[in-house]
Amino acid sequence: MPQQPTAQVTAAEISRIAGVTRATVSNWRRRYDDFPDPSGGTESSPLYDLETVKTWLASRGHASATSPAEELRTTLRLSPPSADGGGTADLLLLVLAAARRTPDQLTAAARLPDTDLAVRAERDAAGVADAVPGGGSVRFAGIDAAVLRALYVCVRDEGGQATLGVLAERELEDSAASGAYRTPPPLAALLARLLPGAPARVLDPACGSGALLEAAARRGAAELYGQDVLPVQARRSAVSLLLTAPPGTTVSVRAADSLRADAFPDLAADAVLCNPPFGDRDWGYDELAYDPRWAYGVPARAESELAWVQHSLAHLTPGGYAALLLPPATAGRASGRRVRAELVRSGALRAVVALPVGASVPFHIGLQIWILQRPEPGGPERKSVLFVDTAESSAADAKTDTRTGPRTRGGSRSASLDWARITGQALSAWHAFATDPDAFEDEPGVARAVDVVDLLDETVDLTPARLVRASRSDVDPAKLAAEADATRRNLVKAAKSLGRAAGYDDWDAAGGAAREWRTATAADLARGGALTLLRTTPEGSRGRGDDDGVGKGGRGAGAGRPVLTGSDISRGSGPTGDPATVRADTAPVIAAGDVLVRAVASGGGAMALVAGEAEAGALLGPHVHLFRPDPARLDAWFLAGFLGAEDNIAGASTGSTVLNVSPGRLRVPLLPLEEQRRYGEAFRRVHELRAEAQRATRLAEETARLLSGGLTGGQLLPSSQGTAADAATVRGRGGDSPH
């Protein structure tokens, strides 16, 4: 029997296995003579034998803190390719099959001998092969046992979606695919909510991981159709939708290029949602020049986005709506002027919504949502187009992102945006306009309905910022002056509160060296009963029962409660999440004293929070971990301070595109309760300082925005009395103006 190759790990992987930082591993190498010697690699990037490392860690009392997802990720990297051809495509099928098993069944499967496990997995995956594109014959062998075992455990402990993410991440890396990013959940929810009515048949022609179709399913869509050029994304989307869509939902996903090889040529959808690829010059311009989809003009080679717009319109029933996420250049690029003019003239373009920078990849530009409607024969004449600018209203939020280090990967900018405000402004304006365009009242600086005739000029520039901000002159001067004065007074109060918070200096130097202490992982503390670890289930997920490895305390919430999100923690606001994003019947209810930790690692704002009156009674959002400490053993603020520490978060984060925090791997010092309370009081003061600083910064930005906008818009005038007094002061100091 051939000898299995020795598994080797890097120093970074050792840090993840032990639940410590990479710096700690470097210290171990220098301080301990018995630390394992490298078994491969290079001098600058050594590799270590995995089993030797695990033995050494166990001898030092460092039990493995690797999460099931990280264990699967490492096992995939270390496992040799299967001679029988069992690849990631088959593993994606196995996730779907495993998610339909009970936790006990998954545990039993993971304990099978290697050969029996391969047979069991092959049978399970083959049973769902018809549901996934490219899911032909499935073959596993005994050599795949380590991966199969890790997959069953990951599905059991972290769910099918987390397992899908690891597998898709691995195949995207192996295939050198780029540009594949998941649409952030708040943005996906907004796009779905912009579709009027309750569309039953929804298409996404560039479905990626299926985030937009999942959002449509949460809003009642019964038929979901998706297509993606990357086979791994099509398979992932199909499995994800089958896991999350309500029973009875039709799911049909195909792998092919939608523009060149439309998999649904005869489909007439009620709605289309799409986040298409941007800037693709190889979209089929030469071979598709005479395609009947180009009813509004042949898109230029540089206008792939306008090809996706027309593809979406061609798949709609008359009167059906589409919402597409597009780059801002689509609204004003000269090469797209003729197509834009026809979209406006025909009434197909109904609205353009500008989003703030950081809403989605690419994070450095402000994307736009185009809302389109396929014209109905004999339908009403469309005389205007709505423009909404949510970017300016979120500028203050972006500027208050007080980062303490470099921005981490994985959408931290999106998570830090005020999605409640963005969503509210977009939906409010769009619903009012869609109900009665002729009666729509402009909201200066935010939303404006522009006549079609005014848009059909030489450039047909549809940029919301240019069109919306032109309406500032309509603001009443007295109203703006009163608003600016009230904001300024609040700023003065906030500055005083910040000064009081900054006066706290009750700490001492540790001496000649930093203090060290024994620590335990949150998973160990949970097993010992010192705390309970809770999470929530996204709306639409099919649970395998209540016993999913998560504590039950606090379950049984009702509808109508607010939802606390990760961005609420980073901003220090109250709960602002959409209740539609969680299952209200099973989501944990937050209680005062709970410790809440954001599930996505980010450098913006606080990572952890102790629930107070503002958070108590809210539902736990899908991207937040809840730690419920036993007050007789753990101080809440002490726990929050250490759980949210930068090094602790870094050591417990996994992933390549999105850095997810594995809650069980977070470490907490083992200190007496009285000492915990002293630390807890210090952490509470630090939290108060951060909150007051964020509040003051927001008010300062808002005050400056109102004053600057009022001065440039003509609603506010510089005080002549103040100017004269200032000039006199300057003259008194000898500061004559130079001539």
Side-chain angles (χ1 to χ4, degrees), residues 22 174 198 225 336-337 389 409 417 477 541 543 547 687 736:
R22 292 187 62 178
D174 287 350
Y225 298 88
R337 179 180 64 84
D389 186 9
R409 298 168 289 174
L417 294 177
S541 297
D547 188 10
H687 174 80
D736 294 331

Side-chain angles (χ1 to χ4, degrees), residues 581-609:
T581 60
V582 299
R583 295 178 58 184
D585 59 331
T586 59
V589 179
I590 298 171
D594 286 344
V595 176
L596 309 162
V597 178
R598 290 157 54 194
V600 177
S602 163
M607 280 297 299
L609 170 73

